[in-house]
Amino acid sequence: MTDGNLKTKEQLNCILTVFKILSGQGEALCIDPNKFYSHLYANMFNVDLGKRSSNCELLLECLDQVILGRRKKLSNSRTLAFVKRLGSLALQQEHHMALACLTIIKQMLQLNTSVNAMLDVDTSIGQGVYLPELQDPEYCNAARTALYELNLLQRHYHPTVRQMATYLVNNVPATGKYSMAPEILKMTSSEIFSYYNPSEVVFRPSIPPPTIKETAIKFRGIEDKNLVQKCNNMLHKEICVNFSELLDLKP
């Protein structure tokens, strides 16, 4: 794991293997997983929109094993650090990966009440300052920051990302104006990733075709449709005349 020659994919596979071994009956093994938390935390920003975008699904599987599967064994500092980095990661990904990150944050808000503190912009509680460049989630002081990324994601180009960000900002309401469709909330991060994946040229939700609106010229607040029709007729005649002259040209 400490070999600098290992690529992101190999490192994530090593992390996933370790935590799968430590799950279930593997909990009896005397292995300190702290360094693997740090490796996972450090590798989250190594998954981007470039050549390493294929590692997104692998990263989601690792996060599912660590953040959700081992949430009761994570310290509060590590939990907040991972949630904060998920918010930052959502800003630099396509909409399907951004939705997957927000889905994990949503699950953590529902499963761990301490995460709700990150929705509060008052960061005066605690000691020190947030150090986002520190690669150890235990000591980066994520408790001294907030999920400011959600404010930016509320202006995302994808409507579902905007809706999910608004849903999280309002503390995941079950009903009301800012609630979300139950079929989306039931999906896991991996299911969200696959469903909204645009790699097959499928955009969900589908984009409605533009509506054809009747063109009208307003003069002193009155729509003059006759004038519009006359202008269109004159333009059509002009195009026909120019096209005829072009056909009459000899080589």
Side-chain angles (χ1 to χ4, degrees), residues 59-119:
L59 175 61
L60 290 176
E61 194 173 356
C62 290
L63 293 171
D64 185 68
Q65 283 283 332
V66 175
I67 298 182
L68 298 176
R70 300 177 62 88
R71 65 181 183 277
K72 295 182 179 179
K73 299 180 181 180
L74 284 178
S75 65
N76 188 55
S77 300
R78 284 197 178 99
T79 299
L80 296 181
F82 275 110
V83 170
K84 176 63 177 179
R85 183 150 288 197
L86 275 169
S88 301
L89 183 64
L91 290 176
Q92 61 187 35
Q93 295 292 335
E94 290 184 274
H95 60 268
H96 60 302
M97 184 59 180
L99 277 171
C101 294
L102 294 179
T103 298
I104 298 178
I105 295 176
K106 180 261 299 181
Q107 292 173 309
M108 291 305 299
L109 284 169
Q110 294 172 330
L111 296 172
N112 192 334
T113 56
S114 64
V115 180
N116 295 336
M118 302 203 74
L119 299 178

Side-chain angles (χ1 to χ4, degrees), residues 116-180:
N116 295 336
M118 302 203 74
L119 299 178
D120 190 355
V121 295
D122 182 13
T123 59
S124 60
I125 301 175
Q127 297 179 352
V129 294
Y130 174 54
L131 302 172
E133 72 281 357
L134 196 65
Q135 299 304 321
D136 192 337
E138 183 67 30
Y139 304 106
C140 68
N141 296 325
R144 292 302 306 272
T145 185
L147 284 172
Y148 300 111
E149 295 84 0
L150 296 179
N151 188 38
L152 297 175
L153 291 170
Q154 286 181 292
R155 298 170 176 81
H156 200 272
Y157 68 87
H158 195 277
T160 310
V161 176
R162 295 197 301 268
Q163 187 181 6
M164 179 68 82
T166 304
Y167 173 73
L168 296 179
V169 166
N170 289 275
N171 204 7
V172 293
T175 58
K177 178 181 178 181
Y178 301 111
S179 61
M180 293 196 67

Side-chain angles (χ1 to χ4, degrees), residues 3-249:
D3 188 358
N5 295 324
L6 287 180
K7 297 182 179 180
T8 302
K9 183 177 181 179
E10 285 75 16
Q11 293 189 48
L12 291 175
N13 274 316
C14 290
I15 296 168
L16 181 60
T17 301
V18 168
F19 284 110
K20 282 189 174 182
I21 292 174
L22 292 177
S23 62
Q25 296 180 352
E27 294 180 357
L29 297 174
C30 296
I31 298 178
D32 184 11
N34 289 335
K35 61 180 179 181
F36 297 104
Y37 292 137
S38 299
H39 282 298
L40 175 59
Y41 184 78
N43 274 289
M44 288 177 67
F45 280 167
N46 290 335
V47 177
D48 50 36
L49 287 173
K51 296 180 180 179
R52 294 173 291 191
S53 61
S54 59
N55 297 325
C56 286
E57 289 185 87
L58 182 57
L59 175 61
L60 290 176
E61 194 173 356
C62 290
L63 293 171
D64 185 68
Q65 283 283 332
V66 175
I67 298 182
L68 298 176
R70 300 177 62 88
R71 65 181 183 277
K72 295 182 179 179
K73 299 180 181 180
L74 284 178
S75 65
N76 188 55
S77 300
R78 284 197 178 99
T79 299
L80 296 181
F82 275 110
V83 170
K84 176 63 177 179
R85 183 150 288 197
L86 275 169
S88 301
L89 183 64
L91 290 176
Q92 61 187 35
Q93 295 292 335
E94 290 184 274
H95 60 268
H96 60 302
M97 184 59 180
L99 277 171
C101 294
L102 294 179
T103 298
I104 298 178
I105 295 176
K106 180 261 299 181
Q107 292 173 309
M108 291 305 299
L109 284 169
Q110 294 172 330
L111 296 172
N112 192 334
T113 56
S114 64
V115 180
N116 295 336
M118 302 203 74
L119 299 178
D120 190 355
V121 295
D122 182 13
T123 59
S124 60
I125 301 175
Q127 297 179 352
V129 294
Y130 174 54
L131 302 172
E133 72 281 357
L134 196 65
Q135 299 304 321
D136 192 337
E138 183 67 30
Y139 304 106
C140 68
N141 296 325
R144 292 302 306 272
T145 185
L147 284 172
Y148 300 111
E149 295 84 0
L150 296 179
N151 188 38
L152 297 175
L153 291 170
Q154 286 181 292
R155 298 170 176 81
H156 200 272
Y157 68 87
H158 195 277
T160 310
V161 176
R162 295 197 301 268
Q163 187 181 6
M164 179 68 82
T166 304
Y167 173 73
L168 296 179
V169 166
N170 289 275
N171 204 7
V172 293
T175 58
K177 178 181 178 181
Y178 301 111
S179 61
M180 293 196 67
E183 55 270 19
I184 296 179
L185 298 178
K186 292 178 181 178
M187 299 172 71
T188 64
S189 59
S190 297
E191 291 171 343
I192 285 277
F193 181 89
S194 301
Y195 182 75
Y196 287 96
N197 194 341
S199 60
E200 297 181 0
V201 199
V202 177
F203 193 87
R204 292 188 174 94
S206 59
I207 303 175
T211 57
I212 301 176
K213 296 183 178 179
E214 184 179 6
T215 305
I217 297 178
K218 292 185 177 180
F219 181 71
R220 293 182 180 177
I222 301 176
E223 295 183 355
D224 192 344
K225 297 181 181 179
N226 293 329
L227 179 59
V228 173
Q229 186 63 38
K230 290 179 182 179
C231 292
N232 289 335
N233 292 337
M234 292 176 62
L235 181 61
H236 179 71
K237 290 179 182 179
E238 185 70 21
I239 293 175
C240 292
V241 170
N242 292 337
F243 186 69
S244 299
E245 292 178 354
L246 183 64
L247 292 177
D248 291 338
L249 293 178

